[in-house]
Amino acid sequence: LAKTTQPISMDSYEGQEVNITCSHNNIATNDYITWYQQFPSQGPRFIIQGYKTKVTNEVASLFIPADRKSSTLSLPRVSLSDTAVYYCLVGPPGSARQLTFGSGTQLTVLP
Amino acid sequence: EPEVTQTPSHQVTQMGQEVILRCVPISNHLYFYWYRQILGQKVEFLVSFYNNEISEKSEIFDDQFSVERPDGSNFTLKIRSTKLEDSAMYFCASSEAGVFDTGELFFGEGSRLTVL
């Protein structure tokens, strides 16, 4: 199982871009990288998934360098409601057992 | 927007009692999952279910746990004889395709289980 390392916490201010980096040095060739968001007492919510280079959707971008040993979730212009825990998950297709949630990054957006 | 619904939102039970947690996955989804999160700890995978059978299970999912899709809409998690350490938030999730085919699992709001 690919182990992931993320900062425990980050603070930002409203309107700023936030970048959360995840390290996954032992990522396997067929592993994908997926990010989830979790608010207190709620289930995780999918943000974005990627395999390599850059992926963008309506809420975030995911940057993956060529060696794929890390990835960066970029949240443009955060608001107070983006305060949550963000999880980076790495695993192969079709295996929920290997979709391991780590400790995540607590992002706090300040006014 | 379609959502996964879970009942009950909170259940308190005595140690040794049986508990059934219920989930209604999104209607066109084919893959179903249970996760749990002990207060202040990580989200942990319990089991995945496809085509009326368990696809994968974790070490946590021992003989005390079972899952069932009793009809076309519900997906249940049964804990036969609850222990204090089963106290946690239990999340049901579903996906249209396999977990990394799309990457997107849809989670419910959770059922908080308190074992006394």
Side-chain angles (χ1 to χ4, degrees):
Chain A
L1 300 181
K3 179 175 163 55
T4 59
T5 304
Q6 304 174 231
I8 293 172
S9 64
M10 294 179 69
D11 289 344
S12 181
Y13 290 94
E14 277 194 292
Q16 289 189 331
E17 178 184 78
V18 169
N19 296 307
I20 306 174
T21 296
C22 178
S23 171
H24 29 80
N25 289 317
N26 62 339
I27 188 168
T29 304
N30 59 342
D31 284 347
Y32 281 72
I33 300 153
T34 310
W35 285 80
Y36 278 80
Q37 173 194 57
Q38 187 180 28
F39 298 111
S41 298
Q42 292 189 25
R45 195 171 96 176
F46 172 87
I47 302 174
I48 198 166
Q49 183 194 51
Y51 182 80
K52 62 180 180 180
T53 62
K54 178 183 172 183
V55 181
T56 298
N57 62 21
E58 62 275 9
V59 298
S61 294
L62 178 59
F63 299 92
I64 305 168
D67 67 5
R68 304 200 327 123
K69 292 184 185 300
S70 66
S71 57
T72 299
L73 175 72
S74 181
L75 304 172
R77 299 183 59 79
V78 293
S79 64
L80 297 177
S81 61
D82 292 317
T83 293
V85 179
Y86 291 81
Y87 297 98
C88 161
L89 295 90
V90 173
S95 176
R97 187 176 63 81
Q98 297 186 63
L99 191 74
T100 306
F101 285 79
S103 301
T105 298
Q106 171 66 58
L107 172 66
T108 301
V109 180
L110 304 167
Chain B
E1 184 179 308
E3 58 181 21
V4 175
T5 57
Q6 292 186 239
T7 54
S9 56
H10 189 191
Q11 181 156 356
V12 181
T13 190
Q14 296 289 326
M15 192 168 55
Q17 294 296 303
E18 176 182 284
V19 160
I20 297 176
L21 305 178
R22 291 181 168 79
C23 169
V24 179
I26 294 172
S27 62
N28 63 334
H29 285 189
L30 301 176
Y31 296 78
F32 314 112
Y33 314 85
W34 283 100
Y35 287 79
R36 79 171 186 191
Q37 186 173 31
I38 296 170
L39 187 63
Q41 297 189 25
K42 301 175 186 179
V43 176
E44 300 174 292
F45 169 77
L46 293 178
V47 66
S48 61
F49 192 86
Y50 170 72
N51 200 25
N52 282 320
E53 60 182 32
I54 291 174
S55 305
E56 295 177 298
K57 58 183 180 179
S58 71
E59 299 75 19
I60 302 168
F61 194 88
D62 61 22
D63 292 344
Q64 293 297 315
F65 292 88
S66 63
V67 289
E68 193 178 32
R69 187 153 163 83
D71 53 42
S73 59
N74 291 286
F75 180 51
T76 62
L77 174 70
K78 181 193 291 185
I79 309 174
R80 285 191 187 79
S81 177
T82 50
K83 308 185 191 80
L84 295 176
E85 54 266 35
D86 293 327
S87 294
M89 182 76 93
Y90 288 81
F91 294 108
C92 174
S94 69
S95 66
E96 190 172 359
V99 64
F100 272 101
D101 291 339
T102 66
E104 186 165 8
L105 301 188
F106 291 80
F107 284 81
E109 294 288 295
S111 293
R112 180 167 298 284
L113 175 65
T114 302
V115 182
L116 303 176

